[in-house]
């Protein structure tokens, strides 16, 4: 009698390779059956499609954890029978395969989600603590103006509404050094990821990032969460939106503070007539090119963007852990193109506010905070901007750079508190 051949061993799970037909019948999906029978690791999108879709920035984690979970689960489920009868008779493996994979799927989803919480990944419509911020943060998603906007809240629900608007290349995390100060002072902080950034939607059309739509996003958030006028603080592109809000929607704004960005009319004039400012703003013209800026900025793990942040601020202002948070937001699907589309829309769809002297006048009290060592914008434009304010104030920080709220948070917080009092 011929010796019965020893079954082939599946190298991936260290178990006899089951018949493809059994898997087809059990799982109802040919692709899974083929992959398992051949010992090929299953792609995470097929094992745990929901987790793969929700956490696209962590594909490597999902890729490593899912195969190991399935392997270990199969091993544990069949261990007693393997010990008793050996690997030759593997009917038990076939019968237990559905239970094993179901358990692995559940475990995989749970582990992926718990791993994301360890990484302090904000979740929609939830309350959680973030490392380095004492105040509890509330994360919500608003469906407004045809997109979903991710918004972070802090402070008492009945406090005075205070909106913080980040710039390029940041997201809500840029205001982490302001959150505890103003939340403990009784303000209701509203900090959105502006459209195109981090967890907010990223429309593909450049026209979707014109300044009027960006300002309407803020007004729509106010319509949903606040019945009264709000204080608004903006930095960089967030300051450009704040200038627009203060001129166009003055009925919704109580006081406005702009950090490191001049009035749009002043900036437009200097961009066209001041060669020194044109040299400082060379990157705005470079960003008008299609696809090439994205390719360069992504190279070598975002080396250029990291170098810009570090070289234009004092040492240590952006820590390694901070930069990892920013890299994670830049790496989200379509995020970089959406961020650059703000610059593209500024030239292709210029603000009417910048062209109309009367419409661009700011009638609400305005505070302009500026770092004298700003490498992107000439500090002379700060004082020129006051001519377009009925009640404007300038605070020049002699040793600060463009990233004022990061490097001198205590002084910026005190200036804002005095201005809002």
């Amino acid at each position: 009698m011929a010796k019965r051949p020893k079954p082939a061993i599946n190298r991936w799970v260290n178990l006899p390779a089951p018949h493809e037909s059994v898997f087809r019948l059990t799982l109802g999906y040919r692709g899974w059956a083929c992959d398992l029978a051949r010992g090929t690791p299953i792609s995470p999108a097929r094992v745990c499609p929901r987790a793969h879709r929700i956490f696209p920035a962590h594909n490597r984690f999902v890729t490593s954890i899912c195969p190991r979970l399935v392997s270990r689960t199969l091993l544990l489920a069949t261990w007693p029978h393997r010990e008793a009868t050996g690997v030759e008779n593997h009917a038990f493996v076939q019968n237990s395969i559905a239970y094993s994979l179901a358990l692995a799927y559940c475990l995989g989803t749970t582990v992926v989600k718990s791993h994301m919480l360890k990484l302090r990944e904000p979740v929609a419509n939830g309350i959680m603590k973030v490392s380095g911020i004492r105040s509890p943060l509330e994360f919500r998603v608003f469906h407004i103006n045809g997109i979903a906007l991710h918004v972070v809240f802090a402070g008492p629900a009945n406090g005075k509404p205070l909106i913080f608007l980040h710039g390029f290349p940041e997201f809500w995390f840029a205001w982490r050094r302001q959150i505890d100060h103003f939340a403990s002072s009784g303000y209701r902080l509203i900090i959105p990821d502006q459209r195109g950034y981090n967890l907010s939607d990223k429309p593909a059309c450049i026209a979707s990032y014109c300044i009027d739509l960006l300002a309407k996003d803020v007004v729509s958030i106010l319509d949903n969460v606040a019945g009264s006028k709000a204080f608004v603080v903006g930095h960089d592109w967030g300051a450009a939106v704040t200038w627009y809000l203060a001129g166009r929607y003055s009925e919704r704004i109580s006081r406005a503070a702009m950090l490191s960005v001049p009035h749009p009319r002043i900036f437009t004039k200097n961009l066209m007539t001041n060669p020194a400012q044109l040299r400082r703003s060379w990157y705005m013209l470079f960003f008008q090119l299609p696809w090439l800026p994205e390719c360069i900025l992504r190279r070598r793990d975002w080396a250029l963007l990291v170098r810009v942040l570090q070289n234009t601020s004092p040492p240590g202002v952006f820590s390694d852990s901070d930069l990892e948070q920013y890299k994670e937001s830049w790496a989200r699907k379509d995020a970089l193109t959406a961020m650059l589309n703000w610059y593209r829309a500024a030239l292709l769809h210029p603000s009417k506010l910048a062209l109309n002297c009367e419409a661009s006048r700011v009638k609400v009290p305005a505070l302009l905070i500026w770092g004298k060592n700003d490498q992107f914008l000439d500090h002379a434009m700060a004082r020129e901007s006051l001519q377009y304010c009925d009640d404007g104030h300038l605070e020049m920080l002699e040793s600060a750079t463009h990233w004022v709220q990061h490097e001198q948070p205590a002084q910026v917080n005190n200036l804002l508190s005095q201005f809002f009092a």
Side-chain angles (χ1 to χ4, degrees):
M1 183 176 176
K3 187 177 179 181
R4 188 165 132 190
K6 191 173 182 179
I9 298 298
N10 185 317
R11 294 181 181 176
W12 176 46
V13 296
N14 196 28
L15 287 172
H19 299 303
E20 186 174 327
S21 58
V22 175
F23 274 98
R24 230 184 277 170
L25 179 62
T26 306
L27 303 175
Y29 190 79
R30 181 182 177 124
W32 279 30
C34 292
D35 283 351
L36 272 172
R38 293 167 186 161
T40 304
I42 301 175
S43 71
R46 291 157 80 178
V47 173
C48 195
R50 187 168 180 268
H52 190 75
R53 186 170 66 251
I54 295 175
F55 308 114
H58 299 279
N59 287 351
R60 281 180 293 180
F61 171 76
V62 179
T63 303
S64 65
I65 198 67
C66 284
R68 289 206 302 270
L69 278 170
V70 176
S71 175
R72 299 304 184 269
T73 309
L74 287 171
L75 183 64
L76 290 173
T78 61
W79 184 260
H81 188 76
R82 288 159 54 87
E83 286 289 299
T85 63
V87 296
E88 287 82 1
N89 183 0
H90 56 278
F92 182 81
V93 177
Q94 299 169 353
N95 293 333
S96 64
I97 207 73
Y99 301 103
S100 303
L101 283 175
L103 179 59
Y105 179 90
C106 295
L107 287 173
T109 306
T110 303
V111 172
V112 168
K113 288 183 178 178
S114 65
H115 182 76
M116 293 304 104
L117 291 179
K118 288 179 186 176
L119 290 176
R120 303 184 301 280
E121 180 74 32
V123 293
N125 302 322
I127 297 176
M128 62 185 298
K129 297 275 288 185
V130 172
S131 177
I133 301 175
R134 298 188 305 274
S135 306
L137 303 179
E138 179 184 350
F139 300 93
R140 296 174 60 186
V141 173
F142 292 90
H143 296 272
I144 51 181
N145 299 331
I147 63 170
L149 286 178
H150 176 254
V151 185
V152 178
F153 293 87
N158 59 351
K160 299 176 184 176
L162 169 56
I163 299 180
F164 284 102
L165 302 176
H166 66 81
F168 177 91
E170 302 168 306
F171 62 108
W172 73 265
F173 187 70
W175 301 105
R176 65 196 179 282
R177 294 185 172 95
Q178 282 66 50
I179 290 175
D180 286 335
H181 176 88
F182 288 98
S184 62
S185 299
Y187 291 94
R188 179 59 167 171
L189 275 61
I190 306 167
I191 316 175
D193 283 331
Q194 299 202 74
R195 67 164 62 196
Y197 283 84
N198 197 38
L199 296 177
S200 289
D201 275 357
K202 302 158 183 64
C205 180
I206 292 177
S208 298
Y209 299 91
C210 66
I211 193 72
D212 188 52
L213 285 177
L214 303 174
K216 284 181 179 178
D217 286 346
V218 180
V219 174
S220 297
I221 293 173
L222 272 178
D223 290 341
N224 279 273
V225 301
S228 60
K229 291 184 176 183
F231 301 116
V232 183
V233 181
H235 171 253
D236 191 76
W237 262 112
V241 175
T242 303
W243 279 112
Y244 192 93
L245 287 166
R248 175 69 176 80
Y249 297 98
S250 57
E251 72 281 359
R252 302 306 313 274
I253 307 301
S254 178
R255 288 173 177 255
M258 286 69 72
L259 279 57
S260 305
V261 163
H263 188 280
R265 284 184 62 84
I266 295 298
F267 181 68
T268 302
K269 183 189 77 171
N270 277 266
L271 203 58
M272 294 188 297
T273 63
N274 186 345
Q277 182 55 52
L278 186 60
R279 284 194 299 273
R280 289 175 182 237
S281 302
W282 67 269
Y283 60 92
M284 294 185 64
L285 301 177
F286 171 63
F287 288 166
Q288 303 306 310
L289 299 174
W291 64 262
L292 182 59
E294 285 91 328
C295 292
I296 293 177
L297 292 177
R298 285 194 185 98
R299 289 184 68 246
R300 297 172 56 201
D301 193 27
W302 309 97
L304 181 57
L305 274 178
V306 169
R307 191 161 65 247
V308 167
L309 291 176
Q310 292 178 328
N311 291 352
T312 59
S313 63
V317 169
F318 293 98
S319 67
D320 291 341
S321 61
D322 292 342
L323 292 172
E324 287 304 315
Q325 295 281 350
Y326 286 117
K327 288 180 186 179
E328 190 175 318
S329 73
W330 302 335
R332 296 189 186 280
K333 180 175 169 50
D334 300 326
L336 182 57
T337 296
M339 293 157 59
L340 297 179
N341 280 346
W342 282 54
Y343 290 94
R344 292 160 179 159
L347 293 188
L348 295 176
H349 307 277
S351 165
K352 295 180 181 179
L353 202 70
L355 305 176
N356 188 321
C357 179
E358 187 57 34
S360 63
R361 187 149 198 90
V362 175
K363 298 179 175 61
V364 301
L367 173 65
L368 185 54
I369 301 177
W370 202 286
K372 196 167 186 178
N373 294 325
D374 193 317
Q375 296 188 29
F376 302 103
L377 298 161
D378 189 346
H379 66 83
M381 292 190 290
R383 191 162 299 281
E384 292 180 51
S385 299
L386 297 181
Q387 63 184 284
Y388 290 99
C389 302
D390 288 353
D391 184 12
H393 308 272
L394 171 64
E395 293 289 344
M396 186 70 69
L397 306 184
E398 296 294 327
S399 60
T401 68
H402 183 73
W403 315 100
V404 287
Q405 84 273 26
H406 295 273
E407 56 193 76
Q408 296 191 17
Q411 189 168 356
V412 169
N413 293 346
N414 289 333
L415 289 172
L416 292 174
S417 295
Q418 293 170 14
F419 179 61
F420 295 147

